[in-house]
């Protein structure tokens, strides 16, 4: 899987309360959640996400509440990849489960700047900053995550298991 | 190679003799938890997966606590979806408004969680049950859906930080100060992907309510779980609550830890966390110039009877400052009853505080105490992120019930000593 796009850059500890504030959690509709994504952190996020499809952030991205609404809102905003120095573990799990590609790569997270044009090849684990010409190697996904992704997400994975049982 | 407490619990749940950090295990679950915000998402996914019945209606807990009693039509719709599902699936641990409380206060109180059990919850503070020696961790709604369908969940076995507690806490110092101090020391990602395993002779002097507060905020250090050994204090707490058999696990003598952190409880002082991160800790006595508009005493962190008693002890015979709203939120109906029986409600009301029903309410900016632009609250909750309790330009200072109550009286951050002279 390849993603090439302009980058929106954020700092450390971007928490799920700013990704999608709890005042909007009275709905589970992805499109509606997307309209409020990041609004307490960056009021221009929606406009930026029209053209930029990659978010790059610092340490502990997605910390705080376990709300799956957070990766759902990011995905529904059109973001196709999040690169960070590190992710909070529940957010990491949720993203994989719902099929939002996320990559841990401290070097890339430090060097890539807001607005840079980035090309990421997730199969090879290579991230290229076209603006600066710098190239980074990303931590490859562990085997079990590849398996879930190969099934098209955990929902598909379990559906296959359940229908297998019934048959 | 020796195993930590967490590793032993996970190994048993996976049916293997041993495991080490980094191993992937598929574990049997003792309990799957969800609330009125996360369960509707999980129920939708459960249905989309083609699942029709839950793996075990006695091992699922659906707790309406975040936006209930329903704060608006949309949240009423979500609560109803969960209620309908609970009825259709004959979920044993569904508690209706009037019988319910904040999930992480309710489950230990009712003995729904026990030592050695493996529990996932679609709520990040599911880690609270480490206080009774369980492995419990927060997950998202999809994992909850899978858990409800299959009774299983995969885990990457975590390494652990060994937190050695020494000595004994001074008066007014509590579990909240222990965990705020620890988070200040290691940072909000200091235990990322790791367990926090508490040990040491200091554990014995910490009450169960204090341990529940500490384990509750393990997630605020990025931890997968926080866990306490099962000692006599814990056994006494479990005695009349848990009737099914359970097994406690101790770490092996040669268990491998990623690192060790020591906390000297004798030296520990009242601690607060300033906006907008729980790691932004200061001593309460250093912050007495910070004025407040609201004091919130409650939540899954500090809504238990001991917290109510401490707040009442400080507020007794005093008045909440004129320009402060003091909101006291008991964690469960049992805590409400205890507050009534012990005369605490009179103390709160006479002091000029409001005593409300058990709910998450203002903790996540839901209702019942949302902050306006420019307002500042002292709160016994667990998160002080931007916009957590209301407007994105409002501020939250995290503190213990003792500090929150003293601050309510003084109209600024204050220590109990200032009002108890
Ligand atoms: S009281 Fe706050 S932290 Fe606890 S479960 Fe409710 S919203 Fe979450």
């Amino acid at each position: 899987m390849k993603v090439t796009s302009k980058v929106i850059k954020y700092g450390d500890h971007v928490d799920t309360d700013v990704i999608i504030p709890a005042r909007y959690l009275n709905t589970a509709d992805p499109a509606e959640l997307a309209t409020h994504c990041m609004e307490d952190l960056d009021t221009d996020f929606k406009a930026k996400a029209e053209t930029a499809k990659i978010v790059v952030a610092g340490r502990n991205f997605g910390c705080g509440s376990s709300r799956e609404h957070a990766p759902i809102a990011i995905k529904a905003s059109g973001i196709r990849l999040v690169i960070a120095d590190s992710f909070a573990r529940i957010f990491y799990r949720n993203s994989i489960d719902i099929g939002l590609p996320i990559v841990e790569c401290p070097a890339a997270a430090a060097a890539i700047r807001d607005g840079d044009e980035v090309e990421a090849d997730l199969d090879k684990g290579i991230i290229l900053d076209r603006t600066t010409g710098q190239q980074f190697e990303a931590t490859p996904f562990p085997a079990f995550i590849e398996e879930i992704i190969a099934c098209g997400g955990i929902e598909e994975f379990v559906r296959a298991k359940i229908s297998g049982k019934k048959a | 190679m020796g195993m930590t407490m967490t590793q032993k619990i996970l190994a048993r749940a996976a049916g293997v003799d041993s495991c080490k950090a980094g191993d992937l295990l598929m574990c049997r679950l003792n309990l799957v938890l969800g609330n009125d915000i996360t369960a509707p998402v999980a129920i939708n996914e459960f249905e989309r997966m083609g699942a029709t019945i839950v793996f075990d209606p006695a091992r699922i807990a659906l707790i309406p606590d975040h936006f209930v009693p329903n704060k608006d039509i949309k949240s009423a719709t979500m609560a109803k979806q969960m209620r309908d599902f609970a009825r259709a699936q004959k979920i044993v641990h569904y508690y209706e408004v009037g019988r319910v409380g904040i999930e992480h206060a309710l489950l230990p109180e009712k003995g729904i969680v026990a030592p050695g059990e493996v529990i996932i919850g679609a709520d990040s503070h599911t880690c609270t049950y480490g206080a009774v020696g369980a492995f419990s961790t927060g997950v998202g709604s999809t994992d909850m859906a899978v858990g409800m369908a299959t009774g299983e969940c995969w885990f990457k076995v975590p390494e652990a930080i060994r937190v050695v507690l020494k000595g004994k806490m001074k008066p007014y110092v509590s579990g909240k100060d222990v965990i705020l101090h620890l988070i200040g020391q290691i940072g909000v990602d200091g235990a990322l992907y790791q367990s926090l395993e508490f040990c040491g002779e200091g554990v014995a002097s910490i009450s169960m309510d204090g341990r529940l507060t500490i384990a509750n905020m393990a997630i605020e250090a990025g931890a997968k779980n926080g866990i306490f050994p099962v000692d006599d204090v814990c056994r006494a707490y479990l005695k009349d609550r848990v009737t099914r058999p359970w097994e406690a696990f101790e770490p092996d003598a040669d268990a491998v830890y990623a690192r060790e952190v020591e906390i000297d409880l004798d030296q520990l002082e009242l601690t607060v966390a300033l906006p907008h991160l729980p790691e932004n800790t200061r001593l309460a006595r250093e912050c007495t110039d910070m004025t407040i508009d609201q004091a919130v005493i409650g939540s899954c962190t500090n809504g238990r009877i001991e917290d109510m008693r401490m707040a009442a002890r400080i507020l007794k015979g005093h008045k909440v400052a004129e320009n402060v709203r003091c909101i006291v939120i008991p964690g469960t109906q049992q805590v409400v009853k205890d507050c009534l029986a012990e005369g605490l409600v009179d103390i709160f009301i006479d002091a000029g505080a409001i005593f409300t029903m058990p709910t998450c309410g203002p903790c996540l900016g839901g209702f019942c105490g949302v902050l306006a632009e420019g307002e500042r609250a002292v709160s016994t909750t667990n998160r002080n992120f931007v916009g957590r309790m209301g407007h994105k330009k409002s501020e939250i200072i995290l503190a213990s019930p003792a500090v929150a109550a003293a601050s309510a009286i003084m109209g600024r951050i204050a220590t109990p000593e200032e009002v108890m002279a």
Side-chain angles (χ1 to χ4, degrees), chain B residues 272 292 294-298 311 314-315 324 326 378-381 397-416:
Chain B
V272 297
I292 55 159
Q294 179 165 300
V296 174
I297 300 167
I314 312 277
L315 285 168
V324 172
C326 181
V378 65
S379 178
T380 68
T381 53
I397 298 172
L398 302 178
S400 68
V403 170
S407 305
I409 296 164
M410 301 298 284
R412 56 165 174 81
I413 297 299
T415 62

Side-chain angles (χ1 to χ4, degrees), chain B residues 112-346:
Chain B
I112 301 169
V113 293
E117 295 188 339
V118 175
I119 298 146
I120 60 166
D123 189 281
S124 57
H125 294 103
T126 301
C127 55
T128 307
Y129 319 130
V132 299
F135 169 81
S136 60
T137 193
V139 296
S141 297
T142 303
D143 283 320
M144 181 191 168
V146 174
M148 287 199 299
T150 66
E152 291 180 337
C153 186
W154 61 262
F155 298 104
K156 193 167 171 185
V157 176
E159 344 174 76
I161 299 179
R162 191 165 181 260
V163 184
V164 186
L165 303 177
K166 295 194 150 172
K168 206 169 179 274
M169 292 183 286
K170 288 188 281 231
Y172 301 125
V173 177
S174 69
K176 187 62 165 281
D177 302 293
V178 174
I179 190 66
L180 287 177
H181 174 82
L182 177 64
I183 296 164
Q185 209 176 331
I186 68 175
V188 291
D189 58 353
L192 202 58
Y193 304 117
Q194 296 173 319
S195 305
L196 287 171
E197 292 206 355
F198 295 90
C199 66
E201 111 270 352
V203 169
S205 69
I206 303 177
S207 66
M208 283 312 291
D209 284 3
R211 296 179 199 185
L212 287 158
T213 302
I214 294 172
N216 176 270
M217 287 189 73
I219 177 72
E220 262 62 65
K224 183 171 200 143
N225 69 315
I227 190 165
F228 278 84
V230 177
D231 62 1
D232 290 345
V233 177
C234 186
R235 281 172 212 280
Y237 177 87
L238 295 167
K239 200 169 150 272
D240 298 319
R241 300 172 197 270
V242 182
T243 46
R244 63 190 178 281
W246 49 264
E247 193 184 340
F249 291 87
E250 279 176 17
D252 287 325
D254 59 344
V256 182
Y257 290 90
R259 63 176 164 139
E260 190 171 301
V261 179
E262 211 178 89
I263 298 179
D264 197 343
L265 298 179
D266 294 306
Q267 302 298 318
L268 194 65
E269 289 196 51
L270 294 161
T271 303
V272 297
L274 302 185
H276 292 282
L277 275 182
E279 69 179 22
N280 203 1
T281 53
R282 302 279 187 285
L283 297 181
R285 61 177 167 82
E286 296 169 345
C287 302
T288 52
D289 58 339
M290 298 187 77
T291 57
I292 55 159
D293 303 288
Q294 179 165 300
V296 174
I297 300 167
S299 82
C300 62
T301 316
N302 283 117
R304 283 168 277 269
I305 188 61
E306 205 174 88
D307 304 311
M308 299 292 122
R309 283 185 194 134
M310 178 58 93
R313 196 173 133 200
I314 312 277
L315 285 168
K316 189 173 184 176
H318 292 280
K319 290 276 180 225
V320 170
E322 201 146 317
N323 46 2
V324 172
R325 292 101 57 184
C326 181
I327 305 171
V328 182
I329 309 175
T332 66
Q333 290 288 63
Q334 185 59 49
V335 177
V336 174
K337 285 183 71 175
D338 292 345
C339 286
L340 283 164
E342 295 178 22
L344 309 187
V345 181
D346 285 331

Side-chain angles (χ1 to χ4, degrees), chain A residues 1-38:
Chain A
M1 188 194 148
K2 254 189 186 174
V3 187
T4 306
S5 162
K6 233 168 81 174
V7 158
I8 311 174
K9 176 111 190 233
Y10 296 117
D12 293 339
H13 311 305
V14 173
D15 62 78
T16 52
D17 274 288
V18 297
I19 295 173
I20 182 73
R23 57 184 179 275
Y24 303 121
L25 296 186
N26 53 7
T27 176
D29 175 41
E32 203 179 331
L33 291 170
T35 63
H36 301 293
C37 189
M38 298 286 187

Side-chain angles (χ1 to χ4, degrees), chain B residues 65-66 102-104 123 125 299-300 360 363-364 382 388:
Chain B
D65 57 354
H66 279 59
I102 303 171
E103 49 194 329
H104 312 306
D123 189 281
H125 294 103
S299 82
C300 62
C360 294
C363 171
L364 79 165
N382 45 40
R388 171 79 178 177

Side-chain angles (χ1 to χ4, degrees), chain B residues 34-40 43 61-65 77-87 91 94-95 144:
Chain B
N35 60 50
D36 51 315
I37 289 182
T38 59
I43 292 164
L62 297 176
I63 309 293
D65 57 354
T77 308
M78 300 215 308
K80 182 170 184 299
Q81 186 187 357
M82 183 164 89
R83 181 182 308 115
D84 291 346
F85 181 83
R87 284 199 188 134
I91 300 298
Y94 172 78
Y95 298 91
M144 181 191 168

